Amino acid sequence: MFGLDISDASIEALELKKRFGRVKLVGYARTEIPEGIVRDGIVVKKKELGEAIKKLLKEAKPRPIREREVILSLPESRIFTHIFKFPAKLKLKQIAEILKFEVPNALPISPEEVYSDFLVLDKTDSEQEIFYVAVPKKVVDDLCEVTKKAGLNHRIFDMESASFARALGREAEEGSVIVDIGARTTIISIFDKNGIRFTTNLGVAGNLFTETIAKKLKIKWQEAEKLKKSCGLLPKDGRCRTGQVFLIVQSTLQPILQEIRTAIKFYEGKSGRKIKKIILCGGSSMMPNIANYFEENLGLKTVVGKPETAEKLSIPKATISPLLLNVFGLALRGAKKKPELKGVNLMFELEKAARFKESRFPKKKIFVYFAVFVLLLSFCGFGYYFYLNPEKLPWYGERYLPKVVPLEFNLEVSTLDEPGVFAGRILEIEKEVAKIFPATGKRIIEGQAQGKVKIFNNSPYGQTLVATTRLLSEDGVLFRLKDNVFIPAGKTAETEVYAEEFGAAGDVFPGKFTIPGLSSFLQKLIYAESEAPMTGGATEVKIISTEDVDKAKTKLEEEILEVAKAESLDLLEAGEVLIPVVLGKEILEIKSDPEQDKMADEFKLQIKIKIKFLAVLESDLKKEMQAQLARRGVKKVKDYRFESVEYYLLNFDETSGEAIVKINTKAIK
């Protein structure tokens, strides 16, 4: 099976074979296709594309690709993904049934209109995380028709982001953000030890960089493309128009940087794990200095990704670049044993995808594994039973009792002196604490952008311009003079200007300004230029966010709990011992100064809480533990001491005064 990557501008094919654990190259080819055959990931001219693929496979080096089974990737801009959490006991068919009802609530699609698949990312005793992915049927059906015209048998439709991570190998280590900056779109994906965790795409990419450079510098597209590739994010290179290319590309990159920050914050907040690295790929990742720029702005190690093992193959060095990642990842999957089970396959409807997964598991092996598991479980079960109940053994005697006996039991306590029930007493601690916390929320405040301009007078006469005279930037943003200014003939004068309108539109780059109030003839002789950007139109300020207050509240509650637990020891009466579980917690007062959503660098949170603990007689507790030990068959319970005692509150009913506490401990002889 070989990999085939079809984009709007090019086609790449790569076939790898795995022999004795080593990957070897069979054939590789790349060709550009005319504009309009594929547009925005949708096949427009199927016949022409099929012919181009057939020609490409024949021209592959070192030898043609004759393999007929193919694995293709789908454009990420056409893909929908979501992570669901379901009970751990659900089987694949049950998951598929539930997804049919849950997907429309989470994504703007109908399961009947898409091909979809899902993977189990993580599983605990209680729940499992399901990664769901879907694509409109038309996208896949069109590609199926094309592959048939090319004489190929489509076996797998993969995700671009998953293919990238597979190609990067060890470089895409746990906690990585892969950023594919292509021609039309930028794909941002997060991977950790469980695989893909997040993916999104933006309509900001290489073509927009080139278009913006061409527009700002008033040059042709081809020249702008050359400047992008040679200058990129080099701030001081003399070839790059004194840093103008850097400023333009930098401003266009901001939505990508912001989306990465949002994705990282979402992932770290939800998983509790940290992102360690950013990996750039795609054509625009080859812009000079882009990795350093990302690293400086995001504070994370940033590298430009390359296929992990490509250099070991007979592939031209010129092609070992971020452009090769997708097709290389597809070919790696195609070279594996049972590649259909090595990731998602978007060529089935949901129920068929679940049946396909289950049908691929070897049932005979499962039966053998199950039988061995049952025998082992039975052996362990009998062993543990007799370990806890040694008196059931026919040769039972006191000398056979273990030196360490684990105890686990529920203690029912009454706090209202109910006769015949284990008695306890409620301890109440009321605490008030205030502390300063930093504000981390952000808000954009709109103001009037302002700055300085130099006015040139190339006419033979001096010129006076009064305050509020209009100046028009190259982008059509209107500014006004702050003060009166006189410019002698053939001289210049520097003065301050301000934007007529409030907002970010006034934050313009350095450039030329015309003076609309002058005649068209004088406008050519008298004009203004700025050497620095205008600023102040949009200013980012810190605010006290809901998240700030919630985190501060949690922090204070934790601190108060520890202090209150220590102070409750002073409330114990003679012979009592503290059961360190919180029976109840009531927030009496909470106050933020300044208030939430206000602008501030920091704020003071004041909180007043009433906390209830439980106390019992130490002698009663010890007697109950000894009684539980006696039920395990131990006769001389006084020879044992209790260590590593752990308490867990299962229930507390304030009306009836009854509490149930689970106790885990070890009786040691």
Side-chain angles (χ1 to χ4, degrees), residues 288-345:
N289 202 46
I290 187 170
N292 290 335
Y293 181 80
F294 270 67
E295 192 165 309
E296 290 171 1
N297 281 269
L298 297 174
L300 288 169
K301 180 181 178 182
T302 304
V303 298
V304 176
K306 290 184 179 180
E308 185 182 38
T309 58
E311 294 185 4
K312 300 177 183 178
L313 306 175
S314 300
I315 299 175
K317 289 188 177 180
T319 65
I320 301 176
S321 71
L323 291 172
L324 187 65
L325 278 174
N326 189 24
V327 74
F328 195 86
L330 295 173
L332 278 177
R333 180 175 178 181
K336 291 183 179 181
K337 188 178 180 180
K338 296 183 179 178
E340 295 91 342
L341 300 178
K342 304 302 181 183
V344 296
N345 188 3

Side-chain angles (χ1 to χ4, degrees), residues 16 28 41 45-46 84 180 218 229 242 339 369 371 388 393 409 440 458 473 480 538 553 588 609 654:
L16 301 173
Y28 166 73
K45 299 178 181 179
K46 298 172 187 174
F84 294 91
D180 171 30
K218 293 183 170 53
K229 293 179 179 178
T242 63
Y369 294 154
L388 295 178
L393 293 168
F409 62 94
T440 63
N458 295 322
S473 75
R480 291 186 181 272
K553 176 176 171 289
L588 303 176
I609 303 181
E654 194 163 1

